[in-house]
Amino acid sequence: MVWEKEKIVGSCIVGGAAFAVGASFLHLFLKGELPLGLGLGLSCPWRILRKRKPVRVYMDGCFDMMHYGHCNALRQARALGDQLVVGVVSDEEIIANKGPPVTPLHERMTMVKAVKWVDEVISDAPYAITEDFMKKLFDEYQIDYIIHGDDPCVLPDGTDAYALAKKAGRYKQIKRTEGVSSTDIVGRMLLCVRERSFSDTHSRSSLQRQFSHGHSSPKFEDGASSAGTRVSHFLPTSRRIVQFSNGKGPGPDARIIYIDGAFDLFHAGHVEILRRARELGDFLLVGIHNDQTVSAKRGAHRPIMNLHERSLSVLACRYVDEVIIGAPWEVSRDTITTFDISLVVHGTVAESDDFQKEEDNPYSVPISMGIFQILESPLDITTSTIIRRIVANHEAYQASFFSLLILLLLGSLEHCLTQNCSVIYRNVMRKRKLVRKSTTSRSRLCPG
């Protein structure tokens, strides 16, 4: 009888201990801190039983004239989480805070969506993160952190655009990509246009100092200068190229599509033709012509972006699998064989679409092999289109600036004239009073 009582008590103690241990493990499991395998030789991690919530990060921007610096920022932002949501600022907000954009919202949306590190895009994002919009990001979009570069973002009233996110403790910072900015690219382009139009050395030097900090202008080894690329401060490294690369080759039976070009000032027209090309096969190989080739075919003022800058912009595109940096102008049989190219394509919208009329048709070999195809370009945009927009914006800015200056001068002149007239009037009236006083005094001293 005593033995049975001891047995019951022992069972209760063991059961209570097991319950306590089980409850402890359940608590750790719910917190997601249960050790992998528990040291019991279990091959399946316990974490798999409870799926971790993905970390969602948000980054916004104008993304006007999108370049590899923007893409590198998005790459860094994506590395801070599992999913990257990007807000693209509306045209109206940009005009109110910075001036008219070169590329409209729908083109900027196309560019951002095409970046391979972007998971989701929000259109018409505000320029500054307000309390309401931040709440929407946290509640509706399930954003964990708001990301921005280490360069200051100051609103017209002098306040920090990300002050609310910082205050909420939900802000993270990435490093700005040195050597490139939209302002710098506009400066390069305007310098090229100026050099093409004028021979005034002083004007060129002044413009170059304004946008490129007065750096000298290196020349190509063959002696021909490239106005467009000579003010670039970009220093290419193998590490950066690896960061942008996919790191995957084509499969054994992959249908490889090849398209080539300058891809200068990478724009929505480029993105859309690359998308169309990628749809035709399993692997898209893009040939990027070197600076000397582009200058020879498009003029000494081209390209605006140098070879490595253009390569990074193309590599960042989700539709591109691999690039040939410095591809030859002519698509040779050797190139086709080496890269096992199945089809060579070319868009209908290009800087020069009369290549088939030329004696040295760069696509004569793939045409003769029956593996060449003309693709209908979805957008009627070229690099020249972007340049014309920039020039138009610059001229409009100059016109508005001079108009404002004239108004200010006229206002100042009117003010000066008003002030001078008032002074003259006061002086005249003062003199009249003095004369009147003097006359009155004399009449009192000499009555009759």
Side-chain angles (χ1 to χ4, degrees), residues 292-306:
Q292 291 92 331
T293 299
V294 177
S295 292
K297 298 296 179 180
R298 302 283 175 259
H301 58 288
R302 298 280 189 91
I304 306 298
M305 311 289 284
N306 69 35

Side-chain angles (χ1 to χ4, degrees), residues 132-143 170:
D132 290 340
F133 186 71
M134 188 168 70
K135 189 176 186 303
K136 185 177 180 181
L137 288 176
F138 295 157
D139 297 343
E140 185 178 327
Y141 292 98
Q142 298 294 299
I143 298 299
R170 307 279 285 272

Side-chain angles (χ1 to χ4, degrees), residues 28-61:
L28 289 172
F29 171 72
L30 292 174
K31 286 179 66 179
E33 297 174 0
L34 195 63
L36 300 182
L38 297 174
L40 302 175
L42 301 178
S43 59
C44 178
W46 283 71
R47 280 186 187 272
I48 294 175
L49 298 176
R50 180 178 175 270
K51 190 175 181 181
R52 181 178 66 86
K53 174 186 174 294
V55 176
R56 285 167 64 83
V57 295
Y58 172 82
M59 188 174 194
D60 59 11

Side-chain angles (χ1 to χ4, degrees), residues 142-189:
Q142 298 294 299
I143 298 299
D144 295 290
Y145 297 102
I146 294 171
I147 316 293
H148 187 63
D150 55 9
D151 52 320
C153 185
V154 182
L155 299 174
D157 62 1
T159 58
D160 183 357
Y162 296 90
L164 291 173
K166 291 175 181 177
K167 186 179 178 181
R170 307 279 285 272
Y171 176 83
K172 286 191 176 184
Q173 194 165 275
I174 57 169
K175 186 173 175 56
R176 182 186 178 277
T177 305
E178 298 296 333
V180 67
S181 68
S182 298
T183 304
D184 173 62
I185 294 169
V186 169
R188 296 189 214 177
M189 195 282 309

Side-chain angles (χ1 to χ4, degrees), residues 265 267 298 302 351 381-389:
L265 294 178
H267 52 74
R298 302 283 175 259
R302 298 280 189 91
E351 295 289 322
I381 304 172
T382 65
T383 299
S384 295
T385 306
I386 304 298
I387 291 174
R388 283 194 295 269
R389 290 179 187 174

